[in-house]
Coordinates of all heavy atoms in Angstrom, one line a residue:
E322 N 26.8 95.9 34.1 CA 26.8 95.1 32.9 C 27.3 95.9 31.7 O 28.0 95.3 30.8 CB 25.3 94.8 32.6 CG 25.2 93.7 31.4 CD 23.6 93.4 31.2 OE1 22.9 94.0 31.8 OE2 23.4 92.6 30.3
S323 N 27.2 97.1 31.7 CA 27.7 98.0 30.6 C 29.2 98.2 30.6 O 29.8 98.4 29.5 CB 27.0 99.4 30.6 OG 27.4 100.1 31.8
I324 N 29.8 98.0 31.8 CA 31.3 98.3 31.9 C 32.0 96.9 31.9 O 33.2 96.9 32.1 CB 31.6 99.1 33.1 CG1 31.1 98.5 34.4 CG2 31.0 100.5 32.8 CD1 31.4 99.4 35.6
L325 N 31.3 95.7 32.1 CA 32.0 94.5 32.2 C 32.7 94.2 30.9 O 32.1 94.5 29.9 CB 31.0 93.4 32.6 CG 30.4 93.4 34.0 CD1 29.3 92.3 34.1 CD2 31.6 93.0 35.0
P326 N 33.9 93.5 31.0 CA 34.4 93.1 29.8 C 33.6 92.1 29.0 O 32.9 91.3 29.6 CB 35.8 92.6 30.3 CG 35.6 92.1 31.6 CD 34.5 93.0 32.1
A327 N 33.8 92.1 27.6 CA 33.0 91.3 26.8 C 33.3 89.8 27.1 O 32.4 88.8 26.9 CB 33.3 91.5 25.4
S328 N 34.5 89.5 27.7 CA 34.9 88.1 27.9 C 34.2 87.5 29.2 O 34.2 86.3 29.5 CB 36.3 87.9 28.2 OG 36.9 88.9 29.2
M329 N 33.6 88.4 29.9 CA 32.9 88.0 31.2 C 31.4 87.5 30.9 O 30.7 88.3 30.3 CB 32.9 88.9 32.3 CG 32.4 88.4 33.6 SD 32.6 89.7 34.9 CE 31.9 88.9 36.3
P330 N 31.2 86.2 31.0 CA 29.8 85.7 30.8 C 28.7 86.3 31.7 O 28.7 85.8 32.9 CB 29.9 84.2 30.8 CG 31.0 84.0 31.7 CD 31.9 85.1 31.5
F331 N 28.0 87.2 31.2 CA 27.0 87.8 32.1 C 25.7 88.0 31.2 O 25.8 88.7 30.2 CB 27.3 89.1 32.7 CG 26.4 89.7 33.7 CD1 26.4 89.3 35.0 CD2 25.4 90.5 33.3 CE1 25.5 89.9 36.0 CE2 24.5 91.0 34.2 CZ 24.5 90.7 35.5
Q332 N 24.6 87.4 31.7 CA 23.4 87.6 30.9 C 22.2 87.6 32.0 O 22.0 86.7 32.7 CB 23.3 86.3 29.9 CG 22.2 86.5 28.9 CD 22.2 85.3 27.9 OE1 21.8 84.2 28.4 NE2 22.6 85.5 26.7
L333 N 21.5 88.7 31.9 CA 20.3 89.0 32.7 C 19.1 89.5 31.9 O 18.9 90.6 31.6 CB 20.6 89.9 33.8 CG 19.7 90.0 34.9 CD1 19.4 88.6 35.8 CD2 20.0 90.9 36.1
G334 N 18.5 88.5 31.2 CA 17.2 88.8 30.4 C 16.0 89.4 31.2 O 16.1 89.3 32.4
L335 N 15.2 89.9 30.6 CA 14.0 90.6 31.2 C 13.3 89.7 32.1 O 12.8 89.9 33.1 CB 13.1 91.3 30.2 CG 11.9 92.0 30.7 CD1 12.3 93.1 31.6 CD2 11.0 92.5 29.4
S336 N 13.0 88.4 31.5 CA 12.2 87.5 32.1 C 12.8 86.9 33.4 O 12.2 86.9 34.5 CB 11.8 86.2 31.3 OG 12.9 85.6 30.9
T337 N 14.1 86.7 33.3 CA 14.8 86.4 34.5 C 14.9 87.4 35.5 O 14.8 87.2 36.7 CB 16.3 85.9 34.1 OG1 16.2 84.9 33.1 CG2 17.1 85.3 35.3
L338 N 15.1 88.7 35.1 CA 15.2 89.8 36.0 C 13.8 90.0 36.7 O 13.8 90.2 38.0 CB 15.5 91.0 35.2 CG 15.5 92.3 36.0 CD1 16.5 92.4 37.0 CD2 15.7 93.6 35.0
V339 N 12.7 89.9 36.0 CA 11.3 90.1 36.6 C 11.2 88.9 37.6 O 10.7 89.2 38.7 CB 10.3 90.0 35.5 CG1 8.9 90.1 36.1 CG2 10.5 91.4 34.7
L340 N 11.5 87.7 37.3 CA 11.3 86.6 38.2 C 12.1 86.7 39.4 O 11.6 86.5 40.5 CB 11.6 85.3 37.5 CG 11.4 84.0 38.3 CD1 10.0 83.8 38.8 CD2 11.9 82.8 37.5
T341 N 13.4 87.1 39.2 CA 14.3 87.4 40.3 C 13.6 88.3 41.4 O 13.7 88.2 42.6 CB 15.6 87.6 39.9 OG1 16.1 86.6 39.1 CG2 16.6 87.7 41.1
C342 N 13.2 89.5 40.8 CA 12.8 90.5 41.6 C 11.5 90.2 42.4 O 11.3 90.5 43.5 CB 12.5 91.8 40.6 SG 14.0 92.7 40.1
I343 N 10.6 89.4 41.7 CA 9.4 88.9 42.3 C 9.7 88.0 43.5 O 9.2 88.1 44.6 CB 8.5 88.2 41.4 CG1 8.0 89.1 40.3 CG2 7.3 87.4 42.1 CD1 7.1 88.6 39.2
L344 N 10.7 87.1 43.2 CA 11.1 86.2 44.4 C 11.7 86.9 45.5 O 11.4 86.6 46.7 CB 12.1 85.2 43.8 CG 11.5 84.1 42.8 CD1 12.6 83.2 42.2 CD2 10.4 83.2 43.7
F345 N 12.5 87.9 45.3 CA 13.1 88.6 46.3 C 12.0 89.5 47.1 O 12.1 89.4 48.3 CB 14.1 89.7 45.7 CG 14.9 90.5 46.7 CD1 16.0 90.0 47.3 CD2 14.5 91.8 47.1 CE1 16.7 90.7 48.2 CE2 15.1 92.4 48.0 CZ 16.3 91.9 48.6
V346 N 10.9 90.0 46.5 CA 10.0 90.8 47.2 C 9.2 89.7 48.1 O 8.8 90.0 49.2 CB 9.0 91.3 46.3 CG1 7.8 92.0 47.0 CG2 9.7 92.5 45.5
I347 N 8.8 88.6 47.5 CA 8.2 87.5 48.2 C 8.9 87.0 49.6 O 8.5 86.9 50.6 CB 7.9 86.2 47.4 CG1 7.0 86.7 46.3 CG2 7.4 85.0 48.2 CD1 6.7 85.5 45.3
M348 N 10.2 86.8 49.3 CA 11.2 86.4 50.4 C 11.2 87.5 51.5 O 11.3 87.4 52.6 CB 12.5 86.0 50.0 CG 12.6 84.7 49.2 SD 12.0 83.3 49.9 CE 13.3 83.1 51.2
S349 N 11.2 88.8 51.1 CA 11.4 89.9 52.0 C 10.0 90.0 52.8 O 10.0 90.2 54.0 CB 11.4 91.2 51.2 OG 12.8 91.1 50.5
M350 N 8.9 89.7 52.0 CA 7.6 89.8 52.8 C 7.5 88.6 53.8 O 7.0 88.8 54.8 CB 6.4 89.8 51.8 CG 6.4 91.0 50.8 SD 6.2 92.5 51.8 CE 4.7 92.4 52.5

Side-chain angles (χ1 to χ4, degrees):
E322 185 178 5
S323 65
I324 62 178
L325 286 174
S328 58
M329 185 170 185
F331 185 89
Q332 191 177 70
L333 190 60
L335 181 60
S336 58
T337 304
L338 177 63
V339 172
L340 178 60
T341 305
C342 290
I343 291 174
L344 288 176
F345 186 82
V346 172
I347 292 174
M348 292 301 295
S349 298
M350 297 304 295

